[in-house]
Amino acid sequence: MTKLSVNINKLATLRNSRGGNVPNLLKSAKDIESFGGQGITIHPRPDERHIKYKDAQELKAVVTTEYNIEGNPIPKFVDLVLKLKPTQVTLVPDAEDAITSNAGWDTVKHKDFLVDIIKTFKSEGIRTSIFVDPDTEMVRGAADIGTDRIELYTESYAQKFTLENSEKAVKPFRDAAVMANKLGLGVNAGHDLNLDNIGFFKENVPNLLEVSIGHALICESIYLGLENVINMYLHRLK
C-alpha cells in the first residue's frame, strides 16, 4: 500500500489567520495519525507564514508515524532538520516568496550542491528525497547525486487529468517512476493530488511508496470531515 503523509500547512495557515492556537496543530497531528494517517508533512518557509520553526520542534515530540520536513535547504532550514532528525527530509527548490512549490530540481545543473547537502543529511541517518519533474533525465540526475527517493511534482498531472485524458496525463509520471525503480530510487509524489485523481495515479505509477497531500485533503475535509477523508484516501491507496 502507498503511504499517506498529510501535509498540515493549511491548518497552520488557518490558525495564524486569527492568532492564538486554534486549530491546535499538535492535537491535529495526533488526530490525523489516530484516523489512519501514516505520516505528517510540514513545509516551513523563511517567513513562517504557515508552519513556524517552533511548530516543527514541537511536532517532533508528538508525531509517532513518519515525520517529513520539506523545504528549500537554506542554512536555517538545514540547521532545523539536523537538529530534529525527522524520518525524511524532502528538498524543494522554491523561492522564498513562492506561494507554493512550482518546479522540481534541475538535478544536472545543481548536482554539486545537492550531492553535498544530501551527504550532510544522510550522515545523520535522515532519509532524503528531492522534488523533481516527471523527466527521466532529472531522475537519472537524482540517482547520480545519491538521494534515497524522489518526489514527483504532480501539478501537471492534476491539471491535465480527466477520465478521457487520464492515460496521457499519467504517462510521464509512469515513465519517470519506471526509470527511478531501475536506478534503485524510491518514489514519492505530491502536489494537487485529490480524491478524484489519486486512484488512477496510484494504479499507474509503479512502486509508489508515499504521497504527501495537504491543500486538497484539508479542503475536502471541510465538506466531508477529516476522519472520513483520510479513510477515503487510504482506500484509494490500497
Side-chain angles (χ1 to χ4, degrees):
M1 179 178 178
T2 301
K3 288 186 176 180
L4 171 64
S5 185
V6 179
N7 186 316
I8 59 174
N9 279 21
K10 281 297 180 292
L11 294 176
T13 301
L14 181 60
R15 175 202 61 188
N16 295 350
S17 69
R18 287 288 296 269
N21 195 34
V22 178
N24 183 306
L25 215 59
L26 303 185
K27 183 179 185 303
S28 297
K30 289 190 284 187
D31 286 344
I32 287 166
E33 292 181 319
S34 73
F35 298 153
Q38 296 146 320
I40 298 295
T41 291
I42 60 170
H43 188 145
R45 286 185 163 85
D47 60 7
E48 298 187 291
R49 63 180 180 267
H50 33 64
I51 292 291
K52 301 180 183 300
Y53 275 55
K54 181 173 178 285
D55 294 329
Q57 297 176 45
E58 292 178 345
L59 283 162
K60 171 67 175 179
V62 303
V63 173
T64 59
T65 57
E66 292 199 348
Y67 190 24
N68 175 43
I69 302 180
E70 58 183 35
N72 194 327
I74 60 174
K76 183 180 179 182
F77 178 86
V78 173
D79 290 344
L80 176 75
V81 173
L82 292 176
K83 177 181 179 181
L84 298 182
K85 294 183 173 61
T87 316
Q88 176 175 268
V89 59
T90 301
L91 306 182
V92 184
D94 52 356
E96 291 193 16
D97 59 351
I99 294 175
T100 186
S101 305
N102 54 21
W105 286 97
D106 184 329
T107 57
V108 177
K109 179 179 179 180
H110 299 289
K111 178 179 179 179
D112 291 343
F113 170 74
L114 290 169
V115 164
D116 288 342
I117 196 68
I118 286 170
K119 281 182 179 177
T120 297
F121 290 133
K122 290 180 71 171
S123 69
E124 295 296 323
I126 304 167
R127 187 174 74 220
T128 60
S129 178
I130 62 169
F131 209 51
V132 296
D133 296 313
D135 181 322
T136 54
E137 181 182 1
M138 295 301 105
V139 175
R140 289 191 191 94
D144 290 340
I145 64 176
T147 189
D148 298 302
R149 297 186 183 185
I150 57 169
E151 178 173 333
L152 293 172
Y153 171 45
T154 50
E155 182 180 15
S156 63
Y157 166 76
Q159 288 180 340
K160 295 174 183 176
F161 178 83
T162 63
L163 291 179
E164 298 78 17
N165 197 42
S166 54
E167 173 59 30
K168 184 177 180 181
V170 84
K171 185 180 185 304
F173 296 88
R174 181 169 56 231
D175 293 345
V178 168
M179 177 63 69
N181 291 333
K182 288 180 179 177
L183 296 172
L185 296 173
V187 178
N188 298 341
H191 205 89
D192 288 350
L193 295 173
N194 58 36
L195 284 172
D196 293 331
N197 62 38
I198 195 168
F200 187 83
F201 190 85
K202 153 69 179 175
E203 292 170 3
N204 287 274
V205 176
N207 299 320
L208 182 63
L209 297 176
E210 174 187 297
V211 292
S212 175
I213 303 177
H215 182 80
L217 188 151
I218 298 304
C219 291
E220 290 159 341
S221 297
I222 291 173
Y223 295 99
L224 301 172
L226 184 60
E227 182 175 8
N228 187 38
V229 166
I230 285 175
N231 280 279
M232 290 171 74
Y233 273 100
L234 293 173
H235 177 73
R236 286 160 172 77
L237 291 169
K238 285 183 180 177

